[in-house]
Amino acid sequence: MSETESGTAWRAYTGKGLPPILETALACFMEHGYHGTTIRTVASRAQLSVPGLYYHYASKQALLVALVSHAMEDLWRRSTAALEEAGDDTGRRLDLLVECLVLFHAHQRDLAFIAYSEIRSLTGEARTTYIAARDRQQRLMDGVIEDGVTRKDFTTPYPREASRAVVTMCTGVSQWYRAEGEHSPQELAERYRVMTRMTVGAPADR
């Protein structure tokens, strides 16, 4: 069982968790963008020859696909573990899913940013697969908020729109968060928890 599939370990971030080549590719994509990065640049920074890099990843597109896949799979595992910890209480399910989203997009800022911003660079089946994973992730929040409205725990008249707004707010953290900023990821998650409860029409207190 992986670290993010047990207990409260979905909150733990002890490194990027990426193979060294992907860590290098991620750094290059952050610095130069996907289209501005060459295979030769990634290979050089990874201390590999170009053929040596191709042995592991067949193309620059394959590097991007591997990064995006890792991001979406890790976020999914953490999100489902958070919901499992929350149990059946709708308010707690909302709280922990928001916490999970904020922590991921703060701690894994670069990875999340590339997964979001470079969707335009994915092609063919890879793009289709990514969109399906993104939609599956969105449906987790949809389900939590719709369930809360059904149980009358949340009062928003627009559960689907509220769900999109909450997810957009949480994922947007990767676009501006800095580790040296005013708030830690956990402090930020608490603020977002309060704002989210206001958005869906739930009491701010736990």
Side-chain angles (χ1 to χ4, degrees):
M1 180 177 292
S2 72
E3 180 182 352
T4 56
E5 292 174 323
S6 61
T8 61
W10 56 269
R11 294 184 179 91
Y13 289 87
T14 55
K16 290 187 177 65
L18 292 170
I21 295 175
L22 290 184
E23 285 192 16
T24 301
L26 177 61
C28 291
F29 292 162
M30 286 295 295
E31 290 176 23
H32 309 293
Y34 175 76
H35 291 293
T37 297
T38 66
I39 280 290
R40 188 170 298 279
T41 298
V42 177
S44 176
R45 289 185 57 169
Q47 299 182 326
L48 293 169
S49 64
V50 171
L53 180 57
Y54 280 137
Y55 175 81
H56 297 282
Y57 297 94
S59 64
K60 186 171 69 169
Q61 178 76 185
L63 288 168
L64 179 60
V65 169
L67 285 170
V68 168
S69 297
H70 178 89
M72 298 308 295
E73 290 167 7
D74 189 30
L75 179 58
W76 176 260
R77 287 193 298 267
R78 291 177 186 273
S79 298
T80 54
L83 290 175
E84 182 178 355
E85 179 186 330
D88 293 331
D89 183 277
T90 54
R92 184 158 173 77
R93 287 173 70 80
L94 179 66
D95 289 344
L96 295 197
L97 186 54
V98 167
E99 180 183 356
C100 179
L101 288 171
V102 172
L103 292 181
F104 180 85
H105 287 84
H107 285 291
Q108 299 284 54
R109 183 182 67 88
D110 290 355
L111 183 62
F113 179 81
I114 289 299
Y116 169 79
S117 64
E118 292 296 352
I119 182 177
R120 63 187 183 272
S121 301
L122 292 170
T123 60
E125 184 178 348
R127 181 182 176 89
T128 300
T129 299
Y130 171 82
I131 291 173
R134 182 194 63 187
D135 291 348
R136 181 179 71 162
Q137 182 69 41
Q138 176 67 52
R139 286 194 294 272
L140 288 180
M141 185 65 73
D142 292 346
V144 168
I145 295 180
E146 288 170 1
D147 188 41
V149 169
T150 298
R151 298 187 185 190
K152 302 187 184 306
D153 294 328
F154 308 155
T155 62
T156 175
Y158 309 115
R160 186 60 59 88
E161 290 80 2
S163 178
R164 293 195 190 102
V166 167
V167 170
T168 298
M169 179 174 69
C170 293
T171 58
V173 168
S174 68
Q175 299 180 48
W176 59 265
Y177 181 78
R178 297 293 182 273
E180 64 274 13
E182 182 180 2
H183 301 293
S184 70
Q186 198 64 51
E187 291 169 340
L188 192 63
E190 173 59 18
R191 290 181 171 232
Y192 273 54
R193 181 192 72 82
V194 174
M195 291 190 292
T196 296
R197 281 183 165 247
M198 294 171 65
T199 299
V200 304
D205 294 336
R206 289 187 183 275

